[in-house]
Amino acid sequence: MHFLPEHIDNYVVKHSENEPELLQKLNRETHQKILQPRMLSGDYQGRVLSMLSKLIQPKYILEIGTYTGYSALCLAEGLTKGGELHTIDVNEELVDFQRKYFDASPFGEQIYQHLGNALDIIPELDHTFDLVFIDADKPNYINYFHAIVEKLRPGGIILSDNVLWSGKVAEPINDKDTSTKLLVEYNQLLKEDSRVETVILPIRDGLTISRKR
Ligand SMILES: C[S@@+](CC[C@H](N)C(=O)[O-])C[C@H]1O[C@@H](n2cnc3c(N)ncnc32)[C@H](O)[C@@H]1O
């Protein structure tokens, strides 16, 4: 999804940090071997996630929706020494693929994979998180927010991906389109919930930054 004219989008990407070699490899192998490679964050958004994580310098990161591990590795770049990234995915076929790339990175020992439904796993995680990335099934975004907001430290950040849903959230909604309806509700919740302050960045498919007050 390009919200900017393509030539400007290309300029932005060209003048931003390059995709690290390991992530280029992961990106390629995902496209060759794994279903729905469009789910992967990709080079530009990956560099944005890395930059945000380096600015936040988190000790504990939670990711909801690992897929092939691309965004986990980008976020891990900002971990403090001894920090941990916990990432959850329901698809057990991806576990070995993720681990291969985590172990090939400098962050292998800091990344903990959790297999299962995120709504079952989140209550079992006993950390106060500095940074949470929500990037799993869209109809559950509201549930994820409620499940993690009290596990976030004051000043902690929630990043939510795909919040513009190819622009559909700002157009008339088809009654059967549950994902769009719930994303519209989610965006409204983040705007109104007094526990967080929120800005939406119109990059890629829309990335929200919410900061806990
Ligand atoms: C968009 S992909 C994540 C992409 C990844 N964050 C990245 O940028 O490379 C969404 C992932 O969420 C996972 N998922 C969907 N529903 C889930 C659930 N209820 N609990 C945990 N993971 C779920 C899917 O298996 C899929 O791998």
Side-chain angles (χ1 to χ4, degrees):
M1 182 73 210
H2 297 273
F3 290 110
L4 286 173
E6 200 171 343
H7 68 290
I8 298 181
D9 211 71
N10 291 340
Y11 183 89
V12 167
V13 172
K14 193 167 163 203
H15 291 82
S16 298
E17 199 65 20
N18 292 329
E19 186 180 38
E21 214 172 292
L22 181 69
L23 291 175
Q24 289 177 27
K25 219 173 135 199
L26 190 167
N27 201 338
R28 253 196 320 272
E29 195 175 343
T30 300
H31 278 81
Q32 285 162 353
K33 300 186 181 162
I34 311 289
L35 290 174
Q36 296 186 279
R38 275 190 67 228
M39 294 213 291
L40 178 147
S41 276
D43 58 346
Y44 174 66
Q45 182 163 311
R47 290 308 84 207
V48 172
L49 294 175
S50 159
M51 179 67 83
L52 290 171
S53 185
K54 285 170 182 162
L55 292 170
I56 297 162
Q57 300 186 309
K59 182 156 171 67
Y60 291 107
I61 302 177
L62 172 62
E63 176 181 65
I64 307 173
T66 322
Y67 188 51
T68 52
Y70 191 95
S71 51
L73 284 172
C74 297
L75 294 167
E77 291 176 31
L79 278 173
T80 53
K81 204 163 178 281
E84 298 178 8
L85 183 146
H86 293 260
T87 183
I88 309 173
D89 205 289
V90 76
N91 185 348
E92 65 176 311
E93 289 174 14
L94 298 173
V95 172
D96 294 344
F97 187 104
Q98 296 157 3
R99 182 43 62 191
K100 178 174 92 171
Y101 280 95
F102 294 161
D103 285 345
S105 81
F107 314 109
E109 290 181 4
Q110 291 173 280
I111 299 180
Y112 297 81
Q113 294 156 282
H114 301 268
L115 177 63
N117 186 332
L119 287 172
D120 297 332
I121 290 172
I122 294 166
E124 293 169 4
L125 297 175
D126 200 16
H127 294 296
T128 300
F129 291 98
D130 306 293
L131 172 60
V132 176
F133 182 43
I134 302 181
D135 191 19
D137 49 327
K138 311 310 154 192
N140 267 321
Y141 270 30
I142 291 173
N143 297 329
Y144 294 141
F145 174 79
H146 290 302
I148 53 101
V149 69
E150 292 307 325
K151 288 179 178 279
L152 194 68
R153 72 159 162 85
I157 298 291
I158 303 171
L159 301 174
S160 312
D161 198 18
N162 307 105
V163 293
L164 295 178
W165 209 227
S166 306
K168 286 193 229 164
V169 292
E171 291 163 6
I173 303 168
N174 179 330
D175 217 33
K176 291 183 188 141
D177 185 351
T178 317
S179 292
T180 305
K181 274 206 277 192
L182 283 161
L183 277 170
V184 165
E185 268 181 49
Y186 181 65
N187 291 338
Q188 197 61 30
L189 168 69
L190 292 185
K191 165 88 181 165
E192 287 172 0
D193 194 299
S194 59
R195 291 171 292 181
V196 290
E197 48 188 314
T198 285
V199 288
I200 296 180
L201 305 182
I203 63 166
R204 199 165 168 260
D205 199 20
L207 181 73
T208 301
I209 307 183
S210 307
R211 179 180 181 277
K212 190 165 171 187
R213 294 179 200 274

